[in-house]
């Protein structure tokens, strides 16, 4: 008779605080995403008076570029080696850059004509690229928080809840906030750029704060030696 030995797998646990600190990061990123999805078309056509056909082509081209950009960012994250890990560093960089580009997308410096069309095109493409820099490492970090499948499932529920909460809040109250800022500025046009800019600044601040909570409080192992360890294993 052969003696069979079995080893009980050692699972990495995630504290309740870490679960919520990770999930909170989804609030700001989803608020930004939902403002783009809910109000960018309105802003382009009814505030900036861009030609709708141009806006449609711009959205189409941006989606094609995103299909190329997303897997490229995934490869960059996967091959990142740093003492901060491979997710946190890109999450922070992507958040800061995307927050700035997001606000600039809703502030055109009174540009007109061809200059406005070029500016909007550049800002929207940059928005998609910088959002990917932040979004890919955020969701890639989730399955790496724990190797316990049950624990992983419980963690994933929390950011999904915050995603729904942020999306609902922006979609329901967004226009009220935009109109409020324009009224306070004494503007007759309730869809004026000023309201969009101020609302974008509010969301950008929320974005930086919530991702900051995630990046500061969620643990990640350094990856500086991961490449050398992989090479050593391959030699065996």
């Amino acid at each position: 008779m052969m003696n069979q030995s079995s080893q009980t797998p050692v699972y990495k646990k995630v504290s309740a605080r870490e679960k919520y600190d990770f999930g909170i990061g989804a609030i700001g990123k989803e608020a930004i995403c939902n403002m783009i999805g809910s109000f960018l078309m309105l802003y382009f056509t009814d505030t900036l008076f861009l030609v709708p056909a141009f806006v449609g082509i711009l959205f189409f081209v941006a989606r094609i570029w995103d299909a190329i950009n997303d897997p490229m960012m995934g490869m960059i994250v996967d091959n990142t080696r740093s003492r901060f890990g491979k997710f946190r560093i890109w999450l922070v960089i992507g958040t800061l850059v995307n927050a700035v580009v997001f606000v600039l997308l809703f502030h055109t410096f009174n540009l007109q004509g061809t200059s406005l069309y070029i500016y909007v095109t550049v800002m929207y493409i940059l928005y998609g690229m910088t959002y990917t820099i932040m979004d890919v490492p955020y969701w890639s970090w989730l399955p790496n928080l724990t190797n316990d499948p049950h624990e992983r499932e419980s963690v994933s529920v929390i950011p999904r809840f915050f995603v729904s909460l942020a999306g609902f809040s922006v979609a329901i109250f967004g226009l009220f906030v935009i109109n409020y800022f324009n009224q306070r500025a004494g503007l007759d046009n309730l869809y004026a750029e000023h309201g969009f800019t101020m609302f974008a600044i509010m969301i950008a601040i929320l974005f930086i704060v919530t991702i900051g909570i995630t990046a500061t409080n969620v643990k990640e192992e350094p990856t500086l030696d991961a490449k050398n360890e992989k090479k050593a294993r391959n030699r065996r």
Side-chain angles (χ1 to χ4, degrees):
M1 181 180 294
M2 296 178 60
N3 293 327
Q4 294 182 346
S5 62
S6 60
Q7 292 183 342
T8 303
V10 179
Y11 289 125
K12 175 185 175 185
K13 297 297 182 181
V14 184
S15 68
R17 178 179 175 178
E18 272 191 290
K19 291 178 183 179
Y20 283 95
D21 284 339
F22 180 80
I24 284 172
I27 296 176
K29 65 186 289 300
E30 183 60 23
I32 276 188
C33 186
N34 203 269
M35 183 172 177
I36 294 293
S38 299
F39 303 118
L40 188 63
M41 175 66 83
L42 175 70
Y43 172 70
F44 278 171
T45 58
D46 290 44
T47 301
L48 302 183
F49 302 107
L50 301 180
V51 176
F54 164 81
V55 176
I57 293 172
L58 176 59
F59 286 174
F60 177 73
V61 171
R63 284 185 178 276
I64 293 176
W65 174 240
D66 283 343
I68 300 171
N69 189 37
D70 288 3
M72 288 173 58
M73 190 61 214
M75 292 175 61
I76 292 172
V77 171
D78 191 53
N79 288 282
T80 296
R81 306 287 180 261
S82 80
R83 65 188 183 92
F84 302 106
K86 61 182 179 180
F87 304 115
R88 186 194 321 274
I89 186 170
W90 288 113
L91 184 63
V92 172
I93 292 172
T95 296
L96 295 176
V97 178
N98 184 248
V100 173
V101 173
F102 173 71
V103 172
L104 292 177
L105 181 60
F106 289 96
H107 186 70
T108 59
F109 303 97
N110 296 316
L111 293 173
Q112 300 291 330
T114 302
S115 298
L116 176 61
Y117 278 85
I118 295 174
Y119 177 84
V120 164
T121 300
V122 172
M123 284 299 111
Y124 185 63
I125 297 296
L126 282 178
Y127 161 77
M129 293 177 64
T130 55
Y131 188 86
T132 296
I133 294 174
M134 172 276 309
D135 191 54
V136 168
Y138 180 83
W139 292 115
S140 298
W141 197 349
L142 175 57
N144 283 270
L145 292 175
T146 176
N147 57 347
D148 184 341
H150 299 291
E151 186 86 350
R152 190 177 295 164
E153 185 176 341
S154 69
V155 175
S156 66
V157 171
I158 298 172
R160 299 296 180 186
F161 168 76
F162 284 122
V163 162
S164 299
L165 177 64
F168 173 82
S169 300
V170 171
I172 296 298
F173 301 108
L175 276 182
F176 292 102
V177 176
I178 292 167
N179 293 345
Y180 168 79
F181 280 120
N182 284 326
Q183 287 176 335
R184 292 280 295 179
L187 300 172
D188 294 329
N189 180 10
L190 296 182
Y191 296 142
E193 184 179 291
H194 173 76
F196 284 96
T197 304
M198 295 304 297
F199 190 37
I201 291 173
M202 283 181 55
I203 292 179
I205 293 172
L206 175 67
F207 181 35
I208 293 172
V209 170
T210 54
I211 290 293
I213 291 172
T214 298
T216 302
N217 296 294
V218 180
K219 298 175 183 177
E220 184 186 0
E221 297 296 329
T223 55
L224 276 176
D225 298 327
K227 189 172 183 180
N228 293 331
E229 291 174 2
K230 184 176 180 181
K231 287 182 178 178
R233 285 196 302 269
N234 292 334
R235 293 195 198 103
R236 294 173 186 173

